[in-house]
Amino acid sequence: NRLVHRMPVRRLEAEVIRDSALAISGRLDRTVGGKPVPVYLSEFVVGRGKPRRSGPLDGAGRRSTYTTVRRNFLPTLMLAFDFPTPFSTVGKRDVTNVPAQSLALMNDPFLFEQAQVWASRILKQMPDRSATERIQRMFTEAFARTPSESELDACLEAVTEFSKLYGDVNTAETWRDLCHSFFSMTDFIYLR
């Protein structure tokens, strides 16, 4: 590393992971400044001082720095990725690698919603393109690179299996499930 010939792999911070999902889906609002967006409250969020109204699940597309932080109502996705709790000062964030992170990537409603938005955008922008062209575009948008042969084959196989579930290769559900799988890939949360 002294000769800068390589860089150690680094996991992205919780806010960057959330903002990346918004950017990839095309939902990110890049407006600077403004009022904070109220915190999203799911049916599982209970506690003292609960706000009267819930904010939108995607935070109106705003970057994580513009979402309200409430001590008792912290976003579960960001907590899974070591978002610091606002109870005390933190000199350096923890960086963990725990099973809860994979489960959060698979089951979080925010990521599921962003996968739907992304799939709808891909289908709208590329209605007559082949599955291979769509997958290559998705890799470029998500990871700023083209897929390897093995990655492309795996994605094409997944699209084929998803299309059997939903009846057609061009359904939003087929592409939503593929988009959702991209959020669970190592390249989504790690910087190489």
Side-chain angles (χ1 to χ4, degrees):
N1 281 349
R2 286 185 315 210
L3 301 177
V4 196
H5 75 286
R6 67 180 178 88
M7 182 182 98
V9 176
R10 180 175 64 93
R11 202 205 64 223
L12 299 174
E13 295 87 7
E15 297 92 338
V16 178
I17 292 170
R18 181 187 171 279
D19 292 354
S20 295
L22 287 169
I24 291 167
S25 72
R27 182 74 178 99
L28 183 66
D29 178 359
R30 297 177 190 274
T31 306
V32 176
K35 292 186 176 185
V37 179
V39 66
Y40 171 73
L41 303 172
S42 71
E43 63 272 12
F44 304 109
V45 175
V46 293
R48 293 179 48 192
K50 186 173 182 177
R52 289 190 178 90
R53 64 183 179 91
S54 173
L57 177 59
D58 70 349
R62 298 300 307 272
R63 291 181 58 218
S64 298
T65 57
Y66 296 111
T67 55
T68 303
V69 175
R70 302 281 302 239
R71 278 177 63 139
N72 296 336
F73 307 100
L74 299 172
T76 54
L77 174 67
M78 298 205 325
L79 282 175
F81 288 97
D82 307 314
F83 182 72
T85 55
F87 308 132
S88 63
T89 57
V90 177
K92 183 178 178 186
R93 288 189 187 200
D94 292 331
V95 179
T96 61
N97 183 10
V98 294
Q101 293 168 348
S102 294
L103 292 171
L105 292 172
M106 288 190 306
N107 298 312
D108 192 78
F110 166 75
L111 290 176
F112 189 76
E113 180 187 66
Q114 294 314 302
Q116 288 178 317
V117 172
W118 188 18
S120 297
R121 184 174 59 78
I122 290 289
L123 289 174
K124 184 178 179 183
Q125 292 176 350
M126 306 177 77
D128 300 325
R129 299 294 176 95
S130 68
T132 300
E133 291 172 306
R134 289 177 183 165
I135 291 167
Q136 288 172 336
R137 169 93 171 268
M138 290 167 60
F139 264 85
T140 302
E141 291 179 354
F143 310 128
R145 65 174 178 84
T146 57
S148 68
E149 286 297 320
S150 62
E151 289 170 330
L152 183 59
D153 291 342
C155 287
L156 287 170
E157 184 179 335
V159 166
T160 303
E161 293 301 316
F162 293 147
S163 66
K164 289 177 186 175
L165 284 174
Y166 301 115
D168 185 17
V169 74
N170 290 318
T171 63
E173 292 83 7
T174 297
W175 290 93
R176 176 204 61 209
D177 288 354
L178 183 64
C179 289
H180 194 200
S181 70
F182 272 54
F183 292 137
S184 294
M185 291 184 183
T186 304
D187 287 356
F188 179 67
I189 62 170
Y190 286 96
L191 184 63
R192 294 178 189 258

